[in-house]
Amino acid sequence: MLSTLNESQQKAAQHIDGPMLILAGAGSGKTKTITTRLAYLISIGIDPSSILTLTFTNKAATEMRERAFSMIDKNTYPPLLCTFHKFGLLFLKFHISQLGRKNNFVIIDSDDKKRILKSIDKETTTAVLSSEISKFKNSVVSIAEAKASAQDKLYMQIADVYEKYENYLEQNNLVDFDDLILLTYKILSTNKELAKETSEKYRYIMVDEYQDTNELQYMLLKKLCDQHNNLCVVGDDDQSIYGWRGATIKNILTFGETFENTLIIKLEENYRSTNKILFHANALIEHNRDRLGKKLVGTRGEGNSIRVYESQDENEETRKITEDIKKLISNGESAKDIAILYRVNALSRALEEGLNRANIHYKLVGGLKFYERAEIKDLIAYFRVITNANDNFSIKRIINKPKRGIGKMTIDKLELESHKKSKSMFSIIKEYTPDELTVLVGKKNSRTLKVFMASVEDLQDVLEDTKMRFIDLFEDTFDFKSTYAKVIDAEDRLANIDEFYGYLRDFFIKNIDLNLEDFLNEISLESAADAISDEYISLMSIHASKGLEFKHLFIVGMEEGFFPLVGDGSNIEEERRLGYVAITRACDELTMSFVHSRFYKGRRTQLVKSRFLTESDLIKGSLTIEKNSAFKKDDLVKHKIFGMGRILSVQKAGKDLKLNINFGGMKRDILSSFVEKI
């Protein structure tokens, strides 16, 4: 079973006792190595029931199980190989009684969770409550700590809801997804005997995709290793791209410090991409400071150079890419081997339209098509009401967005009256006197509905007068964006809304004689234009592409502000890791594209090409950022003669680095090739 592995993979597979970090570069045979190690441990007589392998997805667990089990005796007791959450579920079924609860608990899904939160607090956005409570749990923040750390009214309210939500779960013997790990950790923390027993049961623990672990998962692993240090983790610090959902890159960066005598093995041979692609991926990621340092080495030959497309706008960009794709398909390439990646989901709109026009079948991976997104459907419903106020279906969708206090009962009463009188709901609101409307829906709702009707009529007048002022006045009137400003994926949603506004503006500029109704008719045709086919190219965000590979890859939106995202909350090192992930999805051919202008926040904006194009040595540019090649200031290093020292400064010296090192008071300038990092 070891014969198909390279030297580094064999070394990792045969390591048995003590902590080990397998630093596995993109396309370096990570899964093959960890599954072979699992089979190897069993083959040398280690009890399979003492081996625990943890993954992040059921899909990964299934693939690893099949690959590992194909190498071992069919009669062997199967070792436990599952997700973190599945492990938590199994543990709680045996031990939740430690918390004074029964083991016939029910696991609630995200919709159940939102319904419970909604019943507790109708005012605060449910998505915000759900997200913040999840963060509390994954950072092991208690209710008391959440209350003590609340700095403003919103977080005081969230902490209060957190307490009521937890009480509700306990009273009804429910657990949410986060509880599967949190309650397991709590039990192991409070029962030392059980922690010892569990740790002795699982003497050999392996973790896949370790760079994606969060604070809680790290703390659980520490408990599971209570009686031993036989923890093997596999991951790639350069592919840690989920900081926004709680993953902590420090878990992998500090693994060697946390677990003494860690063996670090680097898998640097890449079996996926050509040398040219790997050269530029390595060049980009070397600019990051927070990394352990490795360099991908190709096994597939030089390959073609990466192409960089420069276009005036997104329409020219889409035209070039669709022409390339048509050529590839006509030359016999399979559509499933072709993909287009982007950092910001809103960029898919222009691509979707271009692909529809070119009759190229596509699928959106891990996302909804542009016109199927909730925020866009809401906008379309608003515009339909403005062009045709008698559209009951659209009125029902938007009458309480943003929230106006119009509940389901009020909508039902209006709809019933509409059927009785054979008039539209809008006509009822318009024609009834305030007193008549008050009898139907109550005084407060009557006033709200009259204001809504007047707003729609004002915007109808604006459309008659000047189309170009319509969008600004629409947003001023309804404050539509506020509906999505505080949801968990607000940035994406608001970008989609701005993209839609920009598209409408552009439509009015290019079609002076056409109106809003013509625009709505056109997009109805576009969104229904998908033909049925077995062969699709893939459109997806870079996050959705992780773990996938494509022979022919296009990365669009290589502009500052789009990729990398810049501004509040953005992390340039994580953005750069995303760039590295994107480039290393390509096997044979890669095209990266930037434009001089795009719709940005609803207006056409001049853009600057991405720094990543310069940093990856694809184009020359004035932007220079100091490289980090595994050595940086304050690193500890070892020299054969001078022993251990600390780096004081790093300078470029040809292809090497000149390090000024303090060896216990004696300072020396030494080239980096003569020392090794500790």
Side-chain angles (χ1 to χ4, degrees), residues 148-166:
S149 63
Q151 296 292 313
D152 56 31
K153 190 179 174 186
L154 174 63
Y155 275 88
M156 287 174 191
Q157 178 66 6
I158 291 169
D160 186 51
V161 173
Y162 181 24
E163 182 174 32
K164 289 173 181 170
Y165 171 70
E166 286 296 274

Side-chain angles (χ1 to χ4, degrees), residues 478-656:
F478 289 120
D479 193 18
F480 178 76
K481 286 185 183 177
S482 67
T483 309
Y484 295 101
K486 287 184 178 175
V487 297
I488 191 167
D489 52 353
E491 200 171 293
D492 252 1
R493 304 258 196 166
L494 297 177
N496 291 335
I497 292 165
D498 286 332
E499 174 72 10
F500 190 78
Y501 285 163
Y503 183 37
L504 176 57
R505 268 198 193 92
D506 208 42
F507 179 86
F508 285 155
I509 291 166
K510 289 175 180 171
N511 304 280
I512 296 167
D513 300 328
L514 299 183
N515 57 30
L516 184 59
E517 194 172 351
D518 296 312
F519 172 78
L520 293 171
N521 289 337
E522 185 163 304
I523 62 174
S524 294
L525 293 173
E526 278 174 6
S527 56
D530 292 328
I532 295 168
S533 165
D534 291 334
E535 282 281 296
Y536 298 94
I537 72 152
S538 297
L539 258 71
M540 69 185 87
S541 70
I542 296 164
H543 279 102
S545 75
K546 188 158 178 288
L548 304 176
E549 57 184 59
F550 299 93
K551 279 175 72 177
H552 307 279
L553 189 70
F554 300 85
I555 305 172
V556 302
M558 296 300 300
E559 304 98 28
E560 291 289 301
F562 282 97
F563 196 24
L565 282 182
V566 288
D568 291 346
S570 66
N571 176 330
I572 192 61
E573 295 224 341
E574 183 152 318
E575 291 294 308
R576 203 174 277 116
R577 291 193 291 270
L578 262 177
Y580 174 82
V581 166
I583 292 171
T584 54
R585 298 311 95 198
C587 300
D588 297 349
E589 290 189 330
L590 175 60
T591 302
M592 299 176 88
S593 172
F594 71 93
V595 299
H596 291 291
S597 84
R598 273 186 207 281
F599 281 124
Y600 185 56
K601 300 204 167 165
R603 300 184 186 282
R604 186 156 290 285
T605 306
Q606 295 303 305
L607 298 167
V608 178
K609 59 182 171 279
S610 170
R611 71 188 79 179
F612 293 169
L613 293 170
T614 309
E615 290 178 2
S616 55
D617 284 348
L618 280 163
I619 59 172
K620 298 294 175 198
S622 56
L623 184 69
T624 55
I625 293 175
E626 184 187 344
K627 283 196 179 184
N628 165 45
S629 182
F631 294 99
K632 57 184 183 292
K633 190 185 171 192
D634 291 331
D635 278 349
L636 283 173
V637 292
K638 188 177 180 183
H639 187 271
K640 283 181 180 175
I641 297 169
F642 301 119
M644 189 171 79
R646 191 176 291 279
I647 297 175
L648 301 175
S649 66
V650 182
Q651 281 181 295
K652 194 91 171 107
K655 290 187 176 181
D656 217 330

Side-chain angles (χ1 to χ4, degrees), residues 45-186:
I46 288 172
D47 182 358
S49 66
S50 69
I51 304 170
L52 170 64
T53 306
L54 296 170
T55 67
F56 276 85
T57 64
N58 287 317
K59 184 184 172 191
T62 302
E63 183 194 349
M64 289 170 68
R65 191 179 296 111
E66 286 171 359
R67 286 168 74 164
F69 290 9
S70 70
M71 290 185 251
I72 59 180
D73 185 341
K74 296 290 180 287
N75 297 319
T76 302
Y77 178 88
L80 184 54
L81 197 165
C82 61
T83 64
F84 274 92
H85 293 94
K86 178 67 178 290
F87 175 78
L89 169 62
L90 296 171
F91 184 87
L92 291 179
K93 282 292 178 187
F94 285 102
H95 303 294
I96 199 168
S97 58
Q98 298 281 327
L99 299 172
R101 294 176 61 172
K102 294 176 182 171
N103 72 350
N104 62 344
F105 59 84
V106 173
I107 305 167
I108 59 168
D109 63 19
S110 55
D111 284 342
D112 296 327
K113 180 181 179 182
K114 285 175 182 173
R115 272 196 290 275
I116 295 165
L117 291 169
K118 189 83 174 166
S119 71
I120 295 168
D121 181 350
K122 290 181 172 60
E123 297 304 312
T124 315
T125 309
T126 311
V128 172
L129 289 171
S130 178
S131 169
E132 292 304 317
I133 288 171
S134 188
K135 282 180 192 170
F136 286 149
K137 291 191 176 190
N138 283 298
S139 300
V140 200
V141 174
S142 68
I143 292 161
E145 288 166 334
K147 286 186 171 185
S149 63
Q151 296 292 313
D152 56 31
K153 190 179 174 186
L154 174 63
Y155 275 88
M156 287 174 191
Q157 178 66 6
I158 291 169
D160 186 51
V161 173
Y162 181 24
E163 182 174 32
K164 289 173 181 170
Y165 171 70
E166 286 296 274
N167 289 338
Y168 183 91
L169 293 188
E170 281 193 44
Q171 286 161 12
N172 293 279
N173 204 19
L174 306 173
V175 299
D176 66 20
F177 210 51
D178 299 318
D179 285 334
L180 293 172
I181 302 177
L182 179 61
L183 298 182
T184 298
Y185 170 72
K186 281 183 174 176

